[in-house]
Amino acid sequence: MHEIITLQLGQRSNYVATHFWNTQESYFTYSAKDESMVDHDVHFRAGSGPTGVDTYTPRTLIYDLKGGFGSMRKINELYDTEGDQRSSEIWSGSPAFQQQPKIEKHDYQQHLEQGLQPPPLTTESVRYWSDFNRVFFHPRSIVQLNEYELHSTLMPFEQWSVGEDLFNTLNREQDLFEHDFRFFAEECDLLQGVQILTALDDAWGGFAARYIEQLRDEMGKACLWTWGLEGSQSESRGTRIQKTVNMAKSIVDISGQSSLLVPILEVPSDVPSLVSVDPRSNWHTSALIMTALETVTLPARLRAPGGRLSTLSEMEEVLRSHGRQNIAQLRLMPGEPSRTPVQDSELDQRTHIHSGPEVHGNRSAQGLNFHQAEKLEMLFAPSSTQRKPSITNKSLTRLEMSRAKSGRLGVVEEDLDDANRLKEPSPAHRKSYHAPLPFPLLDSFPNIYGIQPAQEQGLTACASLSVDTSVIGRVSDLRVVVERAVGRDEREALLDGLSSIGEAYQDGWNSDEGSDEDDH
């Protein structure tokens, strides 16, 4: 079935993942005549509750600190009886209870449970990611780490080494792969891979690095895609330096174990005025990120004539066609794309892989009037302070997915035009997917695109992953901080790791950054 297991690490990642699962649930259809374009079995698992009721829950593991789950219970309504039975099997003595302050359920959750239309969510009312969650999870998906508490000032979960130490401690006590992960892995018939969502600039980076290392040891050459979050809020100089060092450690360590690493700046610096995002709200920033993430990974779960539109492995092969480069940049262009990758007039000029029936509909994004769409493309990455303004980044490979209300399901491959070609030995390469499936705007999703949520409408969008030489500038920025802020014991190894990453992006072209004529 080409399943994908998701690993969610920490509060910020769980905000993004909650939007993701709500979106996947919205694709469900309940009529045999109305089959969804999305293969739900990729991300969801069938099972049964203790009373025999059929269940269909996300194939995911959710880690968070104490207090990070809000009002969500480990044992939900689908598994209540099972929870009672498990308690009696594990412990035969008299139970001892420690009462924690109760977190009241959000009005949104109470209305969902009662089958009522939920009230509108606001940035002020959303306190936890569970406040806007719309799906049930299997109890084994919920893993609370009680050693640290969310937002604690006494024991902050901030330094990279703290997360690394926590994973090592927990793993010694109870092998996390065997205890947590294997349950979901053994259910899979043909595993596509694992997608990991984590922060890179705090202790979760260290926790993720050791977890991914264990996954690599256990799973060999499996596709491990890591989506790494980086904060964009203004902070004190000391905090900023610490987070930059955390980023450097995460990028060096995780890129060495992941098939693909996508660092994601939580708020792009080039958000267009027609997109309204409150940078202080995790609910808002995670919605913007998830629009891009869910769109660009859509081919891995879309049905196509004769099978599936794509797989993580096939997409990864495009992005890594130049070899060692496995750090990609995420971009999003909301609204009607100016160029639809699959158009009838182009099919004879490109390599056409799939083509489904054409779907007709209203091609304009309701509530949006996006002209000159290329100028609205958002890059989820910081700009480099080390590269000269005259130096042009060179695109190595690009994978893009566009979605609209009409068109046909399809895939094309092409070389970029001469202006974007690499120097010898090989040209830049692009693979483009298209689907007549707009991005659903739910009542759990903030109104950041100026479109009111409605069942019959959605957002047209184009998202992409690209491997390009901008990584060289980013590595240079990290090196400057590491040289000044990291002690001698760690510094040399970290600098060597960053240098090795930068060198990988110089392969195949004249990498003399000081030569402007090489870049014109």
Side-chain angles (χ1 to χ4, degrees), residues 162-282:
V162 169
E164 182 182 35
D165 291 343
L166 176 59
F167 178 87
N168 290 334
T169 299
L170 294 174
N171 206 43
R172 281 195 299 268
E173 296 172 354
Q174 189 169 247
D175 188 311
L176 294 185
F177 184 89
E178 293 294 331
H179 185 265
D180 295 346
F181 193 88
R182 186 174 292 280
F183 171 79
F184 294 96
E186 289 185 341
E187 294 180 328
C188 299
D189 293 330
L190 184 60
L191 184 67
Q192 269 196 68
V194 183
Q195 63 173 6
I196 302 107
L197 287 85
T198 182
L200 298 180
D201 60 359
D202 61 16
W204 285 110
F207 191 93
R210 299 286 70 82
Y211 208 133
I212 296 168
E213 180 181 47
Q214 186 172 27
L215 291 179
R216 180 58 69 202
D217 289 343
E218 296 285 349
M219 303 178 70
K221 296 182 179 180
C223 290
L224 304 179
W225 283 31
T226 302
W227 306 89
L229 303 178
E230 177 183 1
S232 54
Q233 293 289 303
S234 298
E235 293 160 318
S236 67
R237 183 175 181 273
T239 300
R240 190 166 59 252
I241 290 174
Q242 177 181 289
K243 288 194 170 187
T244 302
V245 171
N246 289 341
M247 279 293 300
K249 291 181 177 180
S250 293
I251 288 177
V252 168
D253 203 313
I254 294 175
S255 68
Q257 302 292 339
S258 299
S259 310
L260 191 73
L261 171 61
V262 187
I264 302 173
L265 189 66
E266 291 184 337
V267 181
S269 59
D270 52 356
V271 177
S273 59
L274 291 176
V275 177
S276 178
V277 176
D278 184 345
R280 300 163 300 179
S281 168
N282 284 333

